[in-house]
Amino acid sequence: MKSPEVTAVILAGGKSSRFGADKTLLPWGNSLIIHHLVEECKKIAQEVLIISNQQNKFAIDGVREISDFFKEKGPLGGFHAGLQEAQYDTVFFTACDMPLFNIDLAQKLLGKIKDGVQGALPIHSGKTEPLFSVLYRPVALPAAQILLEQDKRRLMDFFKQLNTIYVECPDANFQFNLNHQEDYLSFLTSNQKQCN
């Protein structure tokens, strides 16, 4: 069930240097992982954006692709671009290399952005995951802008600028990412699902 007025942003502008190939184009079943993520995001958001390092890379109907305004600034540059271009004030973020999308957790995080809460991200066994999070755009955008203008890039420094809450998650699967080729092979072995 969609929350009211949400933009979902998929971060897909990295260099994939550890992986050794373009992670944004990895196949899964008869589609790509990023197509699966778009479909999952459409379940919770009225608008889906992809932060990409090149224009019209994916050409997915109804999805806008945008590039960082602050180049070579890592994930915070992608956060800033997503916040800048989002149509709605509640903005959900996920990364293109985190295929085990936890929709229940996403909805739980979305529900926390109220009563002055400006950021929500999951925590599992003391480890936070800023690349699966929700932000309140009117406060988060200027905070990101200021840090980037100062050439400060650490995501957790960014979240510390906001009234952020941490949501305990008992399942760590959502944190699984495809940093290395063996991660992708393990994912394919364990997840034979066919994407549409």
Side-chain angles (χ1 to χ4, degrees):
M1 179 178 174
K2 293 182 182 180
S3 298
E5 299 188 332
V6 172
T7 294
V9 178
I10 301 172
L11 301 167
K15 296 180 179 179
S16 304
S17 54
R18 285 181 291 178
F19 192 84
D22 188 347
K23 291 192 287 188
T24 68
L25 299 177
L26 291 175
W28 182 21
N30 57 7
S31 188
L32 303 180
I33 288 174
I34 199 160
H35 291 150
H36 163 71
L37 291 175
V38 166
E39 291 307 308
E40 292 299 294
C41 285
K42 284 181 177 179
K43 295 174 183 177
I44 62 168
Q46 288 74 21
E47 175 186 45
V48 179
L49 307 177
I50 295 177
I51 310 299
S52 176
N53 52 18
Q54 55 185 280
Q55 289 296 312
N56 300 315
K57 183 175 183 179
F58 307 104
I60 300 173
D61 287 345
V63 177
R64 279 196 296 143
E65 295 177 41
I66 56 178
S67 299
D68 292 351
F69 298 93
F70 288 87
K71 306 296 184 184
E72 305 294 327
K73 299 294 186 182
L76 186 56
F79 271 70
H80 173 269
L83 291 165
Q84 180 73 41
E85 291 295 308
Q87 179 179 350
Y88 302 112
D89 284 345
T90 301
V91 187
F92 169 80
F93 286 87
T94 190
C96 70
D97 65 348
M98 296 173 64
L100 301 180
F101 193 95
N102 186 328
I103 193 166
D104 291 334
L105 178 59
Q107 291 173 327
K108 189 172 184 179
L109 294 171
L110 287 166
K112 299 297 183 181
I113 303 299
K114 59 186 178 181
D115 301 328
V117 175
Q118 301 154 354
L121 66 158
I123 184 169
H124 175 80
S125 297
K127 181 182 177 184
T128 57
E129 184 48 78
L131 296 181
F132 196 92
S133 59
V134 181
L135 293 167
Y136 181 60
R137 181 180 182 273
V139 178
L141 176 58
Q145 176 97 18
I146 290 169
L147 287 175
L148 289 167
E149 287 174 349
Q150 297 172 349
D151 199 27
K152 296 178 180 177
R153 310 180 190 186
R154 293 187 69 244
L155 284 180
M156 292 313 298
D157 288 343
F158 167 57
F159 278 93
K160 288 175 183 176
Q161 303 293 312
L162 312 173
N163 180 17
T164 298
I165 64 168
Y166 301 89
V167 177
E168 189 67 41
C169 182
D171 184 355
N173 284 342
F174 76 94
Q175 293 179 315
F176 175 77
N177 59 25
L178 307 176
N179 280 333
H180 305 283
Q181 295 274 350
E182 53 266 33
D183 298 327
Y184 177 52
L185 295 176
S186 173
F187 168 73
L188 291 180
T189 301
S190 303
N191 298 272
Q192 299 296 326
K193 171 183 171 181
Q194 297 292 306
C195 294
N196 295 319

